[in-house]
Amino acid sequence: FLPEYSPPGEISASSLVSPEAMLLPHAIGTINGMVSMIKFGLSSCYGGFGGGFCNQSELEDASVLNTKGRLASTIDAKAEFVDDLATILTSGRMSLSNRQVIKSLYGKTDSDEAALSLTQQLAVTSPEFHSTGVSRNEGFARPAIAANKKTCKRHKSIIHVLLKGGCDSFNLLVP
């Protein structure tokens, strides 16, 4: 990305730069495409990777969608499936706590198909799926930061946007 990139809007009007903002639409598009492929198959629904038209009325019953393929699995045991997903999608980097969360939600769905879909969606929205390094949970809360003294000086602020859908992890917006 370009180090001098300034996205349109308030950032540009404030003479600030945000080179990582060039990647944001692509990162969100990738997550939307993965979740769409898991839920609807290879189609164009909700930012999916498939071409063609997505008929919104068909979304009530995903089985009738005109897709070019669906994801499937032959694994039955939930523990084995989550561990296999962690190996395939994160090269084994998925933390044990994230695996436990996914395993605990696996049994709370209406059907095996819904459990499979939910498990895949949680795996592709996990922080480990979106990074190449090893992440670790230190197991303790971050220390509280002392409040700054108020001044009358001009300043610039960094705003962290919490994106609905799980794309708010691992410093997607870097100061």
PDB file of all heavy atoms in Angstrom, residues 93-115:
ATOM      1  N   ARG A  93      -2.547 -22.992  14.592  1.00  0.00           N
ATOM      2  CA  ARG A  93      -2.309 -21.861  15.483  1.00  0.00           C
ATOM      3  C   ARG A  93      -3.516 -21.492  16.340  1.00  0.00           C
ATOM      4  O   ARG A  93      -3.403 -20.682  17.243  1.00  0.00           O
ATOM      5  CB  ARG A  93      -1.895 -20.620  14.673  1.00  0.00           C
ATOM      6  CG  ARG A  93      -0.559 -20.719  14.019  1.00  0.00           C
ATOM      7  CD  ARG A  93      -0.170 -19.396  13.349  1.00  0.00           C
ATOM      8  NE  ARG A  93      -1.248 -18.768  12.620  1.00  0.00           N
ATOM      9  CZ  ARG A  93      -1.520 -18.971  11.328  1.00  0.00           C
ATOM     10  NH1 ARG A  93      -0.801 -19.803  10.627  1.00  0.00           N
ATOM     11  NH2 ARG A  93      -2.517 -18.351  10.735  1.00  0.00           N
ATOM     12  N   MET A  94      -4.683 -22.048  16.065  1.00  0.00           N
ATOM     13  CA  MET A  94      -5.867 -21.667  16.830  1.00  0.00           C
ATOM     14  C   MET A  94      -5.681 -22.045  18.295  1.00  0.00           C
ATOM     15  O   MET A  94      -5.322 -23.180  18.613  1.00  0.00           O
ATOM     16  CB  MET A  94      -7.118 -22.337  16.272  1.00  0.00           C
ATOM     17  CG  MET A  94      -8.385 -21.859  16.965  1.00  0.00           C
ATOM     18  SD  MET A  94      -9.888 -22.616  16.320  1.00  0.00           S
ATOM     19  CE  MET A  94     -10.036 -21.782  14.761  1.00  0.00           C
ATOM     20  N   SER A  95      -5.909 -21.083  19.159  1.00  0.00           N
ATOM     21  CA  SER A  95      -5.691 -21.305  20.593  1.00  0.00           C
ATOM     22  C   SER A  95      -6.684 -22.327  21.143  1.00  0.00           C
ATOM     23  O   SER A  95      -7.772 -22.522  20.602  1.00  0.00           O
ATOM     24  CB  SER A  95      -5.839 -19.989  21.355  1.00  0.00           C
ATOM     25  OG  SER A  95      -7.180 -19.542  21.313  1.00  0.00           O
ATOM     26  N   LEU A  96      -6.289 -22.955  22.234  1.00  0.00           N
ATOM     27  CA  LEU A  96      -7.162 -23.935  22.872  1.00  0.00           C
ATOM     28  C   LEU A  96      -8.448 -23.283  23.365  1.00  0.00           C
ATOM     29  O   LEU A  96      -9.512 -23.893  23.303  1.00  0.00           O
ATOM     30  CB  LEU A  96      -6.434 -24.624  24.023  1.00  0.00           C
ATOM     31  CG  LEU A  96      -5.280 -25.532  23.610  1.00  0.00           C
ATOM     32  CD1 LEU A  96      -4.574 -26.092  24.840  1.00  0.00           C
ATOM     33  CD2 LEU A  96      -5.779 -26.663  22.728  1.00  0.00           C
ATOM     34  N   SER A  97      -8.357 -22.034  23.846  1.00  0.00           N
ATOM     35  CA  SER A  97      -9.571 -21.363  24.329  1.00  0.00           C
ATOM     36  C   SER A  97     -10.534 -21.104  23.178  1.00  0.00           C
ATOM     37  O   SER A  97     -11.752 -21.267  23.346  1.00  0.00           O
ATOM     38  CB  SER A  97      -9.219 -20.060  25.052  1.00  0.00           C
ATOM     39  OG  SER A  97      -8.559 -19.166  24.189  1.00  0.00           O
ATOM     40  N   ASN A  98     -10.045 -20.715  22.001  1.00  0.00           N
ATOM     41  CA  ASN A  98     -10.937 -20.521  20.860  1.00  0.00           C
ATOM     42  C   ASN A  98     -11.525 -21.848  20.389  1.00  0.00           C
ATOM     43  O   ASN A  98     -12.686 -21.915  19.998  1.00  0.00           O
ATOM     44  CB  ASN A  98     -10.207 -19.829  19.712  1.00  0.00           C
ATOM     45  CG  ASN A  98     -10.035 -18.350  19.957  1.00  0.00           C
ATOM     46  OD1 ASN A  98     -10.605 -17.802  20.887  1.00  0.00           O
ATOM     47  ND2 ASN A  98      -9.241 -17.706  19.128  1.00  0.00           N
ATOM     48  N   ARG A  99     -10.738 -22.904  20.439  1.00  0.00           N
ATOM     49  CA  ARG A  99     -11.262 -24.220  20.065  1.00  0.00           C
ATOM     50  C   ARG A  99     -12.374 -24.635  21.019  1.00  0.00           C
ATOM     51  O   ARG A  99     -13.393 -25.186  20.598  1.00  0.00           O
ATOM     52  CB  ARG A  99     -10.152 -25.275  20.090  1.00  0.00           C
ATOM     53  CG  ARG A  99      -9.136 -25.103  18.990  1.00  0.00           C
ATOM     54  CD  ARG A  99      -8.075 -26.172  19.067  1.00  0.00           C
ATOM     55  NE  ARG A  99      -6.908 -25.797  18.286  1.00  0.00           N
ATOM     56  CZ  ARG A  99      -6.080 -26.653  17.737  1.00  0.00           C
ATOM     57  NH1 ARG A  99      -6.256 -27.943  17.899  1.00  0.00           N
ATOM     58  NH2 ARG A  99      -5.047 -26.228  17.057  1.00  0.00           N
ATOM     59  N   GLN A 100     -12.184 -24.382  22.310  1.00  0.00           N
ATOM     60  CA  GLN A 100     -13.198 -24.742  23.301  1.00  0.00           C
ATOM     61  C   GLN A 100     -14.486 -23.967  23.073  1.00  0.00           C
ATOM     62  O   GLN A 100     -15.575 -24.520  23.215  1.00  0.00           O
ATOM     63  CB  GLN A 100     -12.675 -24.507  24.720  1.00  0.00           C
ATOM     64  CG  GLN A 100     -11.663 -25.525  25.177  1.00  0.00           C
ATOM     65  CD  GLN A 100     -12.195 -26.933  25.081  1.00  0.00           C
ATOM     66  OE1 GLN A 100     -11.739 -27.709  24.262  1.00  0.00           O
ATOM     67  NE2 GLN A 100     -13.169 -27.291  25.889  1.00  0.00           N
ATOM     68  N   VAL A 101     -14.378 -22.672  22.728  1.00  0.00           N
ATOM     69  CA  VAL A 101     -15.572 -21.871  22.453  1.00  0.00           C
ATOM     70  C   VAL A 101     -16.335 -22.469  21.279  1.00  0.00           C
ATOM     71  O   VAL A 101     -17.555 -22.640  21.327  1.00  0.00           O
ATOM     72  CB  VAL A 101     -15.192 -20.398  22.159  1.00  0.00           C
ATOM     73  CG1 VAL A 101     -16.361 -19.627  21.592  1.00  0.00           C
ATOM     74  CG2 VAL A 101     -14.679 -19.722  23.418  1.00  0.00           C
ATOM     75  N   ILE A 102     -15.624 -22.784  20.208  1.00  0.00           N
ATOM     76  CA  ILE A 102     -16.272 -23.352  19.022  1.00  0.00           C
ATOM     77  C   ILE A 102     -16.894 -24.710  19.349  1.00  0.00           C
ATOM     78  O   ILE A 102     -18.031 -24.995  18.960  1.00  0.00           O
ATOM     79  CB  ILE A 102     -15.268 -23.454  17.856  1.00  0.00           C
ATOM     80  CG1 ILE A 102     -14.842 -22.051  17.415  1.00  0.00           C
ATOM     81  CG2 ILE A 102     -15.864 -24.228  16.692  1.00  0.00           C
ATOM     82  CD1 ILE A 102     -13.723 -22.029  16.391  1.00  0.00           C
ATOM     83  N   LYS A 103     -16.184 -25.553  20.095  1.00  0.00           N
ATOM     84  CA  LYS A 103     -16.721 -26.876  20.462  1.00  0.00           C
ATOM     85  C   LYS A 103     -17.966 -26.744  21.329  1.00  0.00           C
ATOM     86  O   LYS A 103     -18.919 -27.507  21.187  1.00  0.00           O
ATOM     87  CB  LYS A 103     -15.666 -27.693  21.197  1.00  0.00           C
ATOM     88  CG  LYS A 103     -14.551 -28.184  20.304  1.00  0.00           C
ATOM     89  CD  LYS A 103     -13.478 -28.900  21.110  1.00  0.00           C
ATOM     90  CE  LYS A 103     -12.284 -29.263  20.246  1.00  0.00           C
ATOM     91  NZ  LYS A 103     -11.216 -29.917  20.999  1.00  0.00           N
ATOM     92  N   SER A 104     -17.973 -25.766  22.235  1.00  0.00           N
ATOM     93  CA  SER A 104     -19.127 -25.593  23.119  1.00  0.00           C
ATOM     94  C   SER A 104     -20.363 -25.129  22.347  1.00  0.00           C
ATOM     95  O   SER A 104     -21.485 -25.473  22.702  1.00  0.00           O
ATOM     96  CB  SER A 104     -18.808 -24.617  24.244  1.00  0.00           C
ATOM     97  OG  SER A 104     -18.674 -23.306  23.738  1.00  0.00           O
ATOM     98  N   LEU A 105     -20.180 -24.356  21.284  1.00  0.00           N
ATOM     99  CA  LEU A 105     -21.311 -23.887  20.490  1.00  0.00           C
ATOM    100  C   LEU A 105     -21.779 -24.914  19.469  1.00  0.00           C
ATOM    101  O   LEU A 105     -22.894 -24.835  18.974  1.00  0.00           O
ATOM    102  CB  LEU A 105     -20.942 -22.576  19.779  1.00  0.00           C
ATOM    103  CG  LEU A 105     -20.700 -21.392  20.699  1.00  0.00           C
ATOM    104  CD1 LEU A 105     -20.183 -20.202  19.921  1.00  0.00           C
ATOM    105  CD2 LEU A 105     -21.974 -21.028  21.450  1.00  0.00           C
ATOM    106  N   TYR A 106     -20.933 -25.873  19.167  1.00  0.00           N
ATOM    107  CA  TYR A 106     -21.253 -26.896  18.166  1.00  0.00           C
ATOM    108  C   TYR A 106     -22.531 -27.641  18.520  1.00  0.00           C
ATOM    109  O   TYR A 106     -23.387 -27.852  17.681  1.00  0.00           O
ATOM    110  CB  TYR A 106     -20.074 -27.865  18.041  1.00  0.00           C
ATOM    111  CG  TYR A 106     -20.186 -28.814  16.871  1.00  0.00           C
ATOM    112  CD1 TYR A 106     -19.498 -28.570  15.703  1.00  0.00           C
ATOM    113  CD2 TYR A 106     -20.966 -29.965  16.948  1.00  0.00           C
ATOM    114  CE1 TYR A 106     -19.575 -29.433  14.620  1.00  0.00           C
ATOM    115  CE2 TYR A 106     -21.051 -30.832  15.874  1.00  0.00           C
ATOM    116  CZ  TYR A 106     -20.360 -30.564  14.720  1.00  0.00           C
ATOM    117  OH  TYR A 106     -20.448 -31.420  13.658  1.00  0.00           O
ATOM    118  N   GLY A 107     -22.680 -28.020  19.763  1.00  0.00           N
ATOM    119  CA  GLY A 107     -23.835 -28.804  20.172  1.00  0.00           C
ATOM    120  C   GLY A 107     -25.094 -28.000  20.432  1.00  0.00           C
ATOM    121  O   GLY A 107     -26.145 -28.563  20.709  1.00  0.00           O
ATOM    122  N   LYS A 108     -25.025 -26.697  20.340  1.00  0.00           N
ATOM    123  CA  LYS A 108     -26.181 -25.850  20.640  1.00  0.00           C
ATOM    124  C   LYS A 108     -26.959 -25.446  19.393  1.00  0.00           C
ATOM    125  O   LYS A 108     -27.729 -24.514  19.426  1.00  0.00           O
ATOM    126  CB  LYS A 108     -25.714 -24.602  21.390  1.00  0.00           C
ATOM    127  CG  LYS A 108     -25.123 -24.918  22.745  1.00  0.00           C
ATOM    128  CD  LYS A 108     -24.714 -23.690  23.487  1.00  0.00           C
ATOM    129  CE  LYS A 108     -24.105 -24.077  24.831  1.00  0.00           C
ATOM    130  NZ  LYS A 108     -23.688 -22.930  25.594  1.00  0.00           N
ATOM    131  N   THR A 109     -26.765 -26.136  18.303  1.00  0.00           N
ATOM    132  CA  THR A 109     -27.482 -25.833  17.064  1.00  0.00           C
ATOM    133  C   THR A 109     -28.577 -26.870  16.836  1.00  0.00           C
ATOM    134  O   THR A 109     -28.616 -27.913  17.484  1.00  0.00           O
ATOM    135  CB  THR A 109     -26.507 -25.830  15.868  1.00  0.00           C
ATOM    136  OG1 THR A 109     -25.825 -27.070  15.834  1.00  0.00           O
ATOM    137  CG2 THR A 109     -25.503 -24.704  15.977  1.00  0.00           C
ATOM    138  N   ASP A 110     -29.450 -26.570  15.879  1.00  0.00           N
ATOM    139  CA  ASP A 110     -30.597 -27.430  15.613  1.00  0.00           C
ATOM    140  C   ASP A 110     -30.245 -28.714  14.873  1.00  0.00           C
ATOM    141  O   ASP A 110     -30.910 -29.727  15.021  1.00  0.00           O
ATOM    142  CB  ASP A 110     -31.643 -26.663  14.793  1.00  0.00           C
ATOM    143  CG  ASP A 110     -32.176 -25.465  15.559  1.00  0.00           C
ATOM    144  OD1 ASP A 110     -32.124 -25.480  16.795  1.00  0.00           O
ATOM    145  OD2 ASP A 110     -32.650 -24.517  14.898  1.00  0.00           O
ATOM    146  N   SER A 111     -29.210 -28.655  14.040  1.00  0.00           N
ATOM    147  CA  SER A 111     -28.875 -29.825  13.222  1.00  0.00           C
ATOM    148  C   SER A 111     -27.368 -29.922  13.027  1.00  0.00           C
ATOM    149  O   SER A 111     -26.633 -28.977  13.310  1.00  0.00           O
ATOM    150  CB  SER A 111     -29.557 -29.713  11.856  1.00  0.00           C
ATOM    151  OG  SER A 111     -29.011 -28.622  11.133  1.00  0.00           O
ATOM    152  N   ASP A 112     -26.936 -31.052  12.520  1.00  0.00           N
ATOM    153  CA  ASP A 112     -25.517 -31.233  12.230  1.00  0.00           C
ATOM    154  C   ASP A 112     -25.055 -30.273  11.133  1.00  0.00           C
ATOM    155  O   ASP A 112     -23.943 -29.776  11.166  1.00  0.00           O
ATOM    156  CB  ASP A 112     -25.225 -32.674  11.816  1.00  0.00           C
ATOM    157  CG  ASP A 112     -25.303 -33.639  12.986  1.00  0.00           C
ATOM    158  OD1 ASP A 112     -25.206 -33.180  14.141  1.00  0.00           O
ATOM    159  OD2 ASP A 112     -25.457 -34.849  12.744  1.00  0.00           O
ATOM    160  N   GLU A 113     -25.919 -30.022  10.153  1.00  0.00           N
ATOM    161  CA  GLU A 113     -25.581 -29.100   9.072  1.00  0.00           C
ATOM    162  C   GLU A 113     -25.394 -27.677   9.604  1.00  0.00           C
ATOM    163  O   GLU A 113     -24.461 -26.978   9.219  1.00  0.00           O
ATOM    164  CB  GLU A 113     -26.669 -29.126   8.002  1.00  0.00           C
ATOM    165  CG  GLU A 113     -26.313 -28.308   6.781  1.00  0.00           C
ATOM    166  CD  GLU A 113     -27.367 -28.426   5.687  1.00  0.00           C
ATOM    167  OE1 GLU A 113     -27.823 -29.543   5.416  1.00  0.00           O
ATOM    168  OE2 GLU A 113     -27.719 -27.374   5.121  1.00  0.00           O
ATOM    169  N   ALA A 114     -26.275 -27.255  10.508  1.00  0.00           N
ATOM    170  CA  ALA A 114     -26.146 -25.922  11.110  1.00  0.00           C
ATOM    171  C   ALA A 114     -24.889 -25.842  11.971  1.00  0.00           C
ATOM    172  O   ALA A 114     -24.204 -24.823  11.993  1.00  0.00           O
ATOM    173  CB  ALA A 114     -27.383 -25.598  11.944  1.00  0.00           C
ATOM    174  N   ALA A 115     -24.581 -26.935  12.673  1.00  0.00           N
ATOM    175  CA  ALA A 115     -23.370 -26.971  13.498  1.00  0.00           C
ATOM    176  C   ALA A 115     -22.122 -26.873  12.638  1.00  0.00           C
ATOM    177  O   ALA A 115     -21.174 -26.152  12.965  1.00  0.00           O
ATOM    178  CB  ALA A 115     -23.341 -28.249  14.331  1.00  0.00           C
TER     179      ALA A 115
END
